Amino acid sequence: MLPPADSLKINPVGRVDAPAALQPVGDARQQAFERALAGLVGKSLQGEILSKLTDGTFLVKVAGTAARMPLPAGVQVGQQVPLTLVSAGPRPTFQLQLAGDAGAHTVLADAATLSEAAAHAEAAGQADAAPAPQRPLSYAAALLSRAPLVPAAQLPQLDAKSAPATLSETAKLLSSVLGAAQDGGAAPRALQASAPVAPTPRVAPEHMAGALKDAIGKSGLFYESHVAEWAGGERALTDLADEPQMRAAGARTPDALARQAAPASDAATAQFINMQLLSHEQGRVAWQGEVWPGQQMQWDIHKDAPERGHGGDEAPAPGWRSGLRLRFALLGEIGATLVMRGDQLHIALEAGSGEVSALLRRHAGGLNAALEAAGTPAASLAITAAPGAVGADEHADEHADEHADE
């Protein structure tokens, strides 16, 4: 039998404490730096070189933030440098075009730490010394250079019976490659084409696309992965014969090439291997050369980071971004950026003047029609004038056929 309801005693619910504040994931300065740059992608910014750090990188003030960047040789403390923001995340990436350089330099930036800011403040009170040319460090090397050092007196004592530490053959090879690359000078930042991609500008689009694909795919930058595909039966031997490693050695098979390959300590070979390592680390390939005789082109390809803020268990696939820059006799310099996310193509064109951008807008319908006929319609097409160009303000807010925001 149940007791009467009025005889039941219910204790009051205790007070609920406020949840503790969550600690942010990652470096708060870096996150604030990326948020400040989020709306400036594609725009030209002025950077001021504040000081040179002990690891060879530079402290640069850009968008009101002091950032650490590995800059090319020849820059000076106090110099103003033009920086074009290519991507705000996962790490801010800039294009740097120095006077006298044929191509643009790709620069990755990190928000400066308090210790780096203190080092700059200390250096500001001292006389500037003539900076020695430094080879830009990779991101991994820069992180290792900032690792804390432990005094020898505080190191633990090793057992006399402990086996001495040794380097693996791979580590020895990489060490010799990096050393030879540094002794041979700064490694090239882009693939340099030795011949025009096409014999004439009047080439069918499908043939031009295939020639541009071969310019990257058969450059030798991916030779080792192509050899692995050949060994697995996924690639024909005739494809490997077109790559420079096979042509230079006159070998008929990769096995024969391995027996007569140039030593890794050779400066040119080491610099090319260093370029391969940097491309793998940064997920970026740069190419420079003639697209047809007399027509220079700069081309940059990289994979975007996956977009954040989407629901669901599966993150969206990262997009591909391809940017190129051409200079024509009548139109001047034209920049194009193509972004492929899934099956959506986004195109942005930037002209050197407002007059040329208006001309491109008048012919935007023909470009859209050609893309639709090819089965790849543009999800968005934006045509603008470069910041500061003549007539840029007049057409700054106009877009030709914009179906969706990028």
Side-chain angles (χ1 to χ4, degrees):
M1 182 176 179
L2 296 175
D6 55 1
S7 65
L8 296 177
K9 183 178 180 181
I10 301 176
N11 295 325
V13 178
R15 182 171 58 90
V16 178
D17 296 331
L22 296 177
Q23 296 296 325
V25 177
D27 190 340
R29 295 184 189 85
Q30 185 71 9
Q31 293 174 351
F33 185 34
E34 294 174 5
R35 287 195 298 269
L37 297 174
L40 303 176
V41 175
K43 296 188 177 182
S44 296
L45 305 173
Q46 199 71 8
E48 179 185 0
I49 302 178
L50 300 178
S51 63
K52 187 174 183 179
L53 302 176
T54 56
D55 63 356
T57 60
F58 291 83
L59 202 61
V60 181
K61 186 177 181 180
V62 58
T65 302
R68 182 172 55 82
M69 302 181 185
L71 299 180
V75 299
Q76 301 291 336
V77 174
Q79 180 180 350
Q80 302 281 338
V81 291
L83 297 168
T84 300
L85 182 62
V86 178
S87 174
R91 289 178 63 206
T93 305
F94 296 89
Q95 287 282 355
L96 169 61
Q97 180 70 55
L98 295 176
D101 285 1
H105 302 274
T106 300
V107 179
L108 301 178
D110 295 295
T113 64
L114 292 178
S115 60
E116 290 166 344
H120 163 64
E122 180 181 353
Q126 302 174 357
D128 291 334
Q134 296 274 351
R135 172 178 167 269
L137 297 178
S138 67
Y139 184 52
L143 288 179
L144 289 174
S145 68
R146 296 168 58 192
L149 299 178
V150 179
Q154 299 180 14
L155 291 174
Q157 295 294 328
L158 296 177
D159 190 347
K161 298 181 180 180
S162 300
T166 58
L167 292 177
S168 65
E169 293 301 320
T170 302
K172 293 177 182 177
L173 176 62
L174 290 176
S175 177
S176 64
V177 165
L178 295 176
Q182 187 169 4
D183 294 340
R189 293 177 173 269
L191 294 167
Q192 302 290 332
S194 58
V197 173
T200 172
R202 299 184 178 278
V203 176
E206 60 271 18
H207 294 162
M208 179 65 78
L212 289 172
K213 177 183 177 182
D214 289 343
I216 299 293
K218 296 182 179 181
S219 64
L221 196 65
F222 310 99
Y223 175 75
E224 286 73 18
S225 62
H226 291 171
V227 170
E229 292 174 356
W230 167 74
E234 302 173 5
R235 182 175 290 268
L237 183 60
T238 53
D239 291 343
L240 295 177
D242 294 333
E243 303 207 25
Q245 288 91 333
M246 295 282 286
R247 293 200 307 267
R252 295 182 176 274
T253 66
D255 294 336
L257 173 62
R259 290 192 294 269
Q260 58 182 343
S265 58
D266 174 73
T269 303
Q271 287 183 352
F272 190 81
I273 295 175
N274 193 32
M275 185 194 298
Q276 290 178 307
L277 295 174
L278 289 175
S279 298
H280 178 73
E281 176 188 345
Q282 300 175 0
R284 183 183 302 270
V285 176
W287 181 93
Q288 184 174 344
E290 290 184 316
V291 65
W292 56 77
Q295 181 59 66
Q296 292 288 332
M297 184 177 79
Q298 299 171 11
W299 188 14
D300 185 86
I301 308 169
H302 71 276
K303 182 184 290 187
D304 283 343
E307 294 183 351
R308 304 173 184 175
H310 293 268
D313 297 331
E314 185 176 353
W320 284 95
R321 184 179 298 267
S322 177
L324 56 90
R325 191 162 292 275
L326 297 155
R327 180 176 291 277
F328 300 98
L330 298 180
L331 299 178
E333 189 170 276
I334 302 292
T337 301
L338 289 78
V339 179
M340 199 70 174
R341 294 196 181 101
D343 58 353
Q344 289 193 334
L345 174 64
H346 304 268
I347 303 176
L349 302 178
E350 184 182 82
S353 68
E355 181 181 359
V356 174
S357 65
L359 175 64
L360 294 177
R361 289 191 193 94
R362 289 197 295 270
H363 292 81
L367 175 59
N368 279 320
L371 290 171
E372 290 180 2
T376 311
S380 68
L381 173 59
I383 302 176
T384 59
V390 177
D393 294 338
E394 179 181 354
H395 305 285
D397 297 329
E398 297 182 17
H399 295 276
D401 193 17
E402 187 166 334
H403 302 294
D405 293 331
E406 183 181 335

